[in-house]
Structures are given as structure tokens and as C-alpha cells.
Amino acid sequence: MDRNKGPIEGVEHPDHRVEFQLSPGDIQAVRFGISPGHELAHAVRILLRPEQHPLQWGWLRAVRERLPRDSFGLLVAVIGDDGYLPDFLTATPRWDMTPDAELAALRETALEPMRVDLGKMVQRSSGSRQQALRGMQEHPARARSMIADAWSEVWDAALAPVWPQLERLLRADIDVRARTIATNGLSGMANDLHPKVSWGDGAVRVSLRRHSEQVDCQGSGLVLVPSVMSSWGCMVLTEPPAQPTLFYPARGVTAGWARDQVEVAASLSALLGPARAGILMSAGTVRTTSQVAEDTSIAVSTASHHLTVLREAGLIGSERDGARMLHLRTPLGEAMVGAVL
């Protein structure tokens, strides 16, 4: 590759980047979301190229033998192993997005935009795969139903068993980012998302491999979406009617992320003791001292003592809200839980 030449669309170049231009209204509308559809699409790609994703090998060992072959094959045809990902596979990510809501949105996705997305995949494919995609493009209603059914079957086999662990990592990442905004501002948070993401002059810039674009968010804001399955780098959604979206790798993803929660709790218990381990494990969302005591079946005074020890160790942060004290894992606490995972 000649690095002296400018980037050409669709050809890898170190200078490719997407710029999300943010007006003051956009800055106020920057928000976080979760995307089960994005996670499943990249789970399919990981299964196609496992050697490139060592952080997922623990999950891979458990899932390979239970995949529904025909449904997986259909999703492979639609998703491919790299590059462009059809927009219709992911609804606009939201904080409260669930797998059921994602599947329901897929079953109702508009047919014409889906045909356009399938056409893009036709251009990027060949042979029997291209023929299959053309058939889907010609019969979009039938294709939508088949794709949704395949999505459901592959989800149940591949991600449903580990969704609690995966969702915990996603929500923990969002909690940390939100606290960074509160302490260091939006630019401080954006500059810490990923080495290929930067903030400056009213824009969020994302270095990509094959695509460059200037995106005016036009007051609709930007959705920031952590991902466990696309832990290798960043992706974007930019074409209307999709909401401008930036997917980035979630922090705290290690090779053991898919371990059962009971195993994780046992490992932390050996280090911290059962009570403090339980408090730390469940501190991914804000809770009062009374809620901590109730959740762990201990006295409020005992919960307060354990919280003080965890706070002094830098694992939990506490803030007063009127008469209540609110507790949440710190980034160090997230790192400890992530290290055990």
C-alpha cells in the first residue's frame, strides 16, 4: 500500500476517518446505548475467524457444538466475515434495549431499506452466497422472516447463555464513561474511548480502515455503544435513517469474560471475603446502603462497614444524596472484577 496517496473509499489506508460534527444541540444529545444485534453479528464473525479473536476463545469453546447449522449459515450469508454490516440488523441502540426488543424490531424492519442493504452485500459477495443474497433481495418479506428466525435460533444457542455476563460488562463500561463525563467532560471521555477515537473542534473523529466521511449529526446527537464481541476496534453507523452511532470496545473484556457468575464470585470471595465480594459484584449500578444490606442479607451497620473498607481501598465510590449515601464501583473496582473475569 502506498501511504503517500490519499485514502480511496473501500481500500485500506491509515488516513481513513469518519468525523461526527456536533452542534451544541448534538452535544446535549450524546448518549449511550446497548445493541444485542451488534453483539450477535460480531459473534457470527468471530465464529468464522476464531484465530483472530483470542479474547473470545473461552466463549467459543462452549458455543461451537450447539450452533444451529442452517440458521448460522443464513446469518453468515447476510453478515459476511468482515467489512460492511447491514444496518437493518441493528435497531437504534438504547440504554434499555433487550434481545427481545431487538428481535421484534428486526421482524418489523422496513422492507425497502433492507433491500438496499442486501444489495450492498450482493456487491460485496460472489458465487453461491451472492446468489442467495439476490434471492433475499428479490423477496424481502420472506427474507426478513427467515433472517429473524435465524437470528432468534443463533441468539438462543450462542449468546443467551452468556448474556448476563455480557450485559454486565456493557453496563459497567457505560457507568465508567458517564462518571468520566461528570469529572472530565465530554472531550475527556471521548478521548479515552479508544486509541482511534479523538475529540476536538466540535467533532468526534474515528479512524477506520476503509471508509471516510463527514457526518453532520444535525441536532440528533450521537449514540455511543460499547461492545464485547467487536473488541478489536470501532465501527460506525452514518446513513439515514439510522441514528449516528459509534461502536467501541468495552473495557474490562478478558479471555474469561464468559465465565459463570458463580465462579467469578468464588474467585473474588477468596480475595475479599464473601460479603465484600458480593457487594463489589453487585455494585455495577448505584445503590443505597440500605439496598446493599438488603441485597446481601446483612445488617445496615455491617453493610456500612464493608462499604467503608471497599471505599478506602478505592474499589467503590460513595456520594451523598440528601440523607442517603449512594455507592458505585470505581474504575479500579471495574478493573478488579474484569481481571477475575
Side-chain angles (χ1 to χ4, degrees), residues 20-33 92-95 181 186 189 199 204 217-225 243-246:
F20 292 100
Q21 298 291 333
L22 303 175
S23 68
D26 288 310
I27 292 174
Q28 294 174 6
V30 171
R31 57 202 183 276
F32 290 92
T92 299
R94 305 190 313 264
W95 170 255
I181 292 175
L186 184 61
M189 182 278 298
W199 160 277
V204 173
C217 294
Q218 299 180 335
S220 64
L222 176 65
V223 184
L224 303 174
V225 185
Q243 174 73 37
T245 304
L246 166 58

Side-chain angles (χ1 to χ4, degrees), residues 181-242:
I181 292 175
T183 55
N184 299 327
L186 184 61
S187 62
M189 182 278 298
N191 284 322
D192 189 47
L193 274 179
H194 190 267
K196 294 188 178 297
V197 177
S198 62
W199 160 277
D201 299 324
V204 173
R205 299 178 179 86
V206 189
S207 295
L208 298 177
R209 289 183 298 159
R210 302 189 183 103
H211 178 59
S212 292
E213 186 178 359
Q214 297 249 349
V215 181
D216 184 350
C217 294
Q218 299 180 335
S220 64
L222 176 65
V223 184
L224 303 174
V225 185
S227 176
V228 171
M229 287 296 172
S230 59
S231 57
W232 51 268
C234 298
M235 291 189 71
V236 299
L237 282 177
T238 62
E239 293 188 20

Side-chain angles (χ1 to χ4, degrees), residues 122-143:
V122 167
Q123 296 172 4
R124 291 166 168 80
S125 60
S126 60
S128 60
R129 181 188 172 209
Q130 186 179 67
Q131 201 169 20
L133 287 167
R134 281 201 176 115
M136 295 181 206
Q137 190 182 22
E138 291 170 2
H139 304 281
R142 183 176 68 185

